[in-house]
Amino acid sequence: MANTPCKVVVIEHLTLDGVYQAPARADEDTRNNFKHGGWSMAGADPQMQQIIGKSMAGGWSLLAGRTTYEDLFEGWQVRQPSHPMTQALTDVQKFVASQNPNYKHSWKNSILLEGEATEAVAKLKKEHDKTLIVFGSGLLVHSLMQHGLVDEMILMIHPVVLGEGFRFFDQGTPFTRLKLQDKIITGTGVILANYQCITG
């Protein structure tokens, strides 16, 4: 058992108007007919990759909602099987939250969280010995925030306004104080802000 609770660190690409939907690929969210898929140009900014890499130093595991888990599998394992990031994601322990208790995961080193997600994550935080990294997974993150289970947020705020799309901090997001721990402005104008979440 871990000596101290592990951290939950949320990493999100956001537009200036707060949209987090489908940042990576043009066809990332065809289910909702979203026409701005791939807006982040994430792979074009090496500083963003360095920041994400730094946050994973010292050991980490992936925590993801089912949709994001499947998007990551499609974007990396299916489309880029020889990429170093694919190997990293394949090798790492992955915890998947799904409302379907019979969901069958497709990636090795994956575990389906049992029962209600927030209760399962609260238990993981006490017992797991690595930082839990969350990419995307907006619905899961909102639930975790409602229960004070998010410790840090790394928000990558891009200089683009979409005017539509799913907003990360939508109506119903709980009141949360964020303490800025670090910030970087990349050469492409992306603001990378690392926040500590303060509860209570």
Side-chain angles (χ1 to χ4, degrees), residues 2 10 35 59 72 84 88 91 96 107 120 123 143 147 176 188 190 197:
V10 171
K35 62 185 179 182
L72 288 170
D91 291 343
V96 188
W107 221 342
K123 186 172 184 288
S143 295
H147 291 80
T176 306
T188 61
V190 179
C197 297

Side-chain angles (χ1 to χ4, degrees), residues 34-54:
F34 185 62
K35 62 185 179 182
H36 302 294
W39 53 263
S40 76
M41 297 290 289
D45 193 327
Q47 284 180 280
M48 283 193 288
Q49 298 173 30
Q50 291 169 10
I51 293 297
I52 293 175
K54 182 179 178 181

Side-chain angles (χ1 to χ4, degrees), residues 82-199:
S82 61
H83 195 285
M85 184 62 176
T86 301
Q87 191 62 53
L89 287 170
T90 300
D91 291 343
V92 79
Q93 181 69 70
K94 293 170 284 293
F95 297 99
V96 188
S98 173
Q99 295 180 340
N100 178 5
N102 298 314
Y103 177 71
K104 301 298 183 184
H105 50 73
S106 50
W107 221 342
K108 75 174 186 178
N109 297 323
S110 298
I111 295 175
L112 179 66
L113 294 177
E114 296 183 0
E116 206 281 323
T118 55
E119 294 178 1
V121 172
K123 186 172 184 288
L124 261 183
K125 289 190 67 172
K126 295 177 181 178
E127 299 178 353
H128 197 55
D129 60 353
K130 294 181 175 65
T131 298
L132 295 167
I133 299 286
V134 185
F135 297 112
S137 305
L139 294 177
L140 173 62
V141 172
H142 291 162
S143 295
L144 298 179
M145 290 179 68
Q146 292 282 359
H147 291 80
L149 294 172
V150 176
D151 299 289
E152 292 182 21
M153 289 188 181
I154 299 175
L155 304 181
M156 295 175 282
I157 305 165
H158 297 253
V160 61
V161 175
L162 299 183
E164 61 179 319
F166 299 145
R167 284 167 172 78
F168 186 65
F169 298 114
D170 64 357
Q171 188 172 0
T173 301
F175 177 83
T176 306
R177 291 192 185 278
L178 302 176
K179 180 180 180 181
L180 184 65
Q181 299 187 113
D182 192 16
K183 71 177 186 303
I184 294 174
I185 301 176
T186 75
T188 61
V190 179
I191 300 171
L192 294 100
N194 187 333
Y195 293 99
Q196 177 189 2
C197 297
I198 303 173
T199 58

Side-chain angles (χ1 to χ4, degrees), residues 36-84:
H36 302 294
W39 53 263
S40 76
M41 297 290 289
D45 193 327
Q47 284 180 280
M48 283 193 288
Q49 298 173 30
Q50 291 169 10
I51 293 297
I52 293 175
K54 182 179 178 181
S55 69
M56 297 175 179
W60 64 288
S61 297
L62 178 68
L63 173 61
R66 179 190 58 79
T67 299
T68 296
Y69 172 82
E70 292 177 353
D71 284 341
L72 288 170
F73 181 78
E74 171 68 22
W76 293 103
Q77 182 63 47
V78 174
R79 301 190 183 198
Q80 305 179 72
S82 61
H83 195 285

